[in-house]
Amino acid sequence: MRQLIFLGTGAAMATECYNACFLLRTPDDEYFLTDAGGGNGILRQMKRAEIPFERLRCMFVTHGHSDHIMGTVWVIRRIASLMNKDFYGGEFHIYCHDIACEIIEMMAQMLLTRAELAQYGKRIRLHEIHDGEQVSFLNMKLTAFDIRSSKAKQFGYRLRFANRHSLVCLGDEPYNERCRAFVEKADWLVSEAFCLEADKEKFRAAEKNHGTVKEAAINAEKVAAKHLVLYHTVDTTLERRRELYTAEASEHFHGEVYVPDDLDVIDMD
């Protein structure tokens, strides 16, 4: 069964939940990770989700902000350790744009041990990917695209499965109309929704290049998505977040709405 597993659902400064990152589980029980949060909390979330690192095969890093990229070095450390103990077979692949590659390279050289570095660049492979470029792995095809951020270079992707269904990840900024060709008619659209429409001035959403639940829902309707998944939110309303965000999104989007908590699993098939 194909599943989405949300390791974290919070925005950068969240303390009541982990930073936004998620796994895709394939029908062959292998895993593709998108972002890794802001630190070694990724190790705890993987453990809590009962996901073995031995089955984690690939990851995509959307951009170089600390709450998305810093957990990457802990993923590398964990997998390198498993490789050095002969507990991890094959290679692990990381895909990201040039700036994110530079940051990961710098972190690796500064923070990994000699034994860990022996696997980095050998069986742990860092791949620079370009706007519009396609790569294939785990019986899926990924097309990366520049989300046209004015804040920092950031890539999203469209993932196409063997059954021809698709998943689009927009990163942590609202949909940009210039990306329509990559986003339109996605079966699953994963979008940031920083806060409720009524709270956008309180949290200065636009100033931070973030959007509201209403905006995300309107955009999902515009591009004819079938399922809308909202994450990368403030953490002040966690007890009622699912209820409040689902209600606001459903006013503007006629497909299915999902507002996961950390460690929630969504069946895609």
Side-chain angles (χ1 to χ4, degrees), residues 82-117:
L82 291 169
M83 288 176 171
N84 286 331
K85 296 174 182 177
D86 293 328
F87 292 149
Y88 188 102
E91 296 181 337
F92 177 68
H93 297 271
I94 305 170
Y95 300 93
C96 51
H97 59 62
D98 55 346
I99 296 173
C101 276
E102 291 174 8
I103 295 171
I104 294 170
E105 178 70 24
M106 179 179 65
M107 289 195 299
Q109 296 302 327
M110 294 179 66
L111 301 175
L112 297 183
T113 66
R114 183 177 300 177
E116 291 160 352
L117 278 171

Side-chain angles (χ1 to χ4, degrees), residues 36-37 59 61 68-76 94 104 107:
M59 75 176 294
V61 180
H68 293 261
I69 202 169
M70 288 185 68
T72 305
V73 73
W74 292 97
V75 173
I76 293 172
I94 305 170
I104 294 170
M107 289 195 299

Side-chain angles (χ1 to χ4, degrees), residues 7-12 18-22 34-37 67-68 231-233:
L7 299 178
T9 56
Y18 191 58
N19 303 131
C21 55
F22 63 93
T34 298
D35 292 335
D67 57 311
H68 293 261
Y231 78 151
H232 199 280
T233 81

Side-chain angles (χ1 to χ4, degrees), residues 3 6 24 27 32 37 47 51 59 62 68 75 80 93 95 106 143 149 158 165 173 243 261:
Q3 296 175 318
F6 282 83
L24 174 74
F32 165 59
K47 180 179 180 180
I51 307 299
M59 75 176 294
T62 58
H68 293 261
V75 173
H93 297 271
Y95 300 93
M106 179 179 65
T143 304
S149 171
R158 186 182 186 105
H165 289 179
E173 294 193 17
E243 172 193 351
D261 290 322

Side-chain angles (χ1 to χ4, degrees), residues 4-262:
L4 288 175
I5 303 167
F6 282 83
L7 299 178
T9 56
M13 301 303 289
T15 58
E16 303 304 313
C17 56
Y18 191 58
N19 303 131
C21 55
F22 63 93
L23 291 159
L24 174 74
R25 178 183 181 180
T26 74
D28 295 324
D29 200 27
E30 294 184 304
Y31 295 88
F32 165 59
L33 174 64
T34 298
D35 292 335
N40 74 346
I42 187 67
L43 305 180
R44 180 171 183 264
Q45 295 304 91
M46 288 282 288
K47 180 179 180 180
R48 292 177 69 196
E50 300 182 346
I51 307 299
F53 271 92
E54 295 88 338
R55 306 298 295 178
L56 183 59
R57 311 308 303 180
C58 309
M59 75 176 294
F60 187 96
V61 180
T62 58
H63 63 299
H65 285 171
S66 60
D67 57 311
H68 293 261
I69 202 169
M70 288 185 68
T72 305
V73 73
W74 292 97
V75 173
I76 293 172
R77 288 194 65 185
R78 179 63 176 145
I79 290 178
S81 175
L82 291 169
M83 288 176 171
N84 286 331
K85 296 174 182 177
D86 293 328
F87 292 149
Y88 188 102
E91 296 181 337
F92 177 68
H93 297 271
I94 305 170
Y95 300 93
C96 51
H97 59 62
D98 55 346
I99 296 173
C101 276
E102 291 174 8
I103 295 171
I104 294 170
E105 178 70 24
M106 179 179 65
M107 289 195 299
Q109 296 302 327
M110 294 179 66
L111 301 175
L112 297 183
T113 66
R114 183 177 300 177
E116 291 160 352
L117 278 171
Q119 298 296 346
Y120 178 75
K122 183 181 178 183
R123 292 173 60 196
I124 298 175
R125 307 287 299 277
L126 181 62
H127 306 274
E128 179 183 337
I129 194 167
H130 303 90
D131 184 24
E133 184 176 352
Q134 293 185 344
V135 292
S136 296
F137 51 78
L138 303 181
N139 203 27
M140 303 181 290
K141 180 179 289 184
L142 180 148
T143 304
F145 62 91
D146 191 326
I147 71 166
R148 311 299 178 185
S149 171
S150 60
K151 182 171 59 175
K153 186 173 183 178
Q154 184 172 171
F155 276 10
Y157 62 77
R158 186 182 186 105
L159 199 60
R160 185 175 180 182
F161 309 126
N163 63 5
R164 304 183 71 83
H165 289 179
S166 59
L167 166 76
V168 171
C169 172
L170 292 174
D172 77 349
E173 294 193 17
Y175 164 72
N176 187 312
E177 183 63 21
R178 289 184 290 175
C179 300
R180 178 181 282 268
F182 299 103
V183 179
E184 195 164 31
K185 296 183 180 179
D187 292 287
W188 294 85
L189 179 61
V190 181
S191 173
E192 64 91 40
F194 194 60
C195 62
L196 296 166
E197 182 73 14
D199 293 331
K200 65 181 180 181
E201 299 303 327
K202 173 183 176 181
F203 292 112
R204 307 196 315 277
E207 179 184 326
K208 298 174 182 177
N209 284 41
H210 293 315
T212 67
V213 174
K214 177 181 177 180
E215 291 167 345
I218 289 173
N219 287 328
E221 186 76 12
K222 182 191 304 182
V223 299
K226 293 182 180 178
H227 305 81
L228 174 62
V229 184
L230 302 176
Y231 78 151
H232 199 280
T233 81
V234 295
D235 62 349
T236 55
T237 59
L238 286 186
E239 290 185 0
R240 297 191 64 203
R241 179 178 62 180
R242 193 194 310 271
E243 172 193 351
L244 296 173
Y245 281 37
T246 301
E248 180 163 296
S250 297
E251 292 179 10
H252 308 280
F253 175 67
H254 293 92
E256 293 191 66
V257 177
Y258 300 81
V259 185
D261 290 322
D262 287 13

